Amino acid sequence: MKDLVKGQLVCSKAGRDKTQYFAVVDFAPGRVLVADGQRYTLDDPKPKNPAHLAPARTVLPAAALSNDQQLAAAVEAFRQTAGAGTEEDRKLV
């Protein structure tokens, strides 16, 4: 599945959540389960087609996946810096 790993940040390329950032939290047959700690929690992740995800180079540490508050903070911090990133980073969106 695109060589995604647990904890990796991804950007949605399709669907209602287009341009939103998530962290990969698990895998299901043909799907990647993603969460952002707010709308999609660790207990209720969103299943996404891997073709609809643009992987970022950032992989969150295990501590960031320990609860929804830390996950939400990590995703938000990345989102804020992604807008100020390099042109290559902005192409992910």
Side-chain angles (χ1 to χ4, degrees):
M1 292 197 189
K2 285 188 169 181
D3 298 326
L4 296 172
V5 296
K6 190 172 180 178
Q8 186 168 9
L9 290 173
V10 294
C11 182
S12 175
K13 298 189 302 184
R16 293 182 186 178
D17 53 15
K18 186 176 181 180
T19 73
Q20 298 295 315
Y21 288 99
F22 299 97
V24 174
V25 295
D26 209 353
F27 299 93
R31 297 282 185 210
V32 176
L33 302 178
V34 297
D36 61 5
Q38 294 177 336
R39 183 170 183 194
Y40 299 104
T41 62
L42 293 168
D43 291 334
D44 190 24
K46 178 178 177 79
K48 290 288 285 182
N49 182 333
H52 297 163
L53 297 173
R57 288 174 267 187
T58 303
V59 177
L60 298 176
L65 298 175
S66 62
N67 62 51
D68 289 321
Q69 291 79 17
Q70 291 197 351
L71 175 59
V75 170
E76 179 62 19
F78 179 80
R79 187 190 64 75
Q80 288 181 357
T81 60
T86 65
E87 185 173 329
E88 185 176 326
D89 289 336
R90 288 190 293 272
K91 286 181 183 176
L92 293 176
V93 181

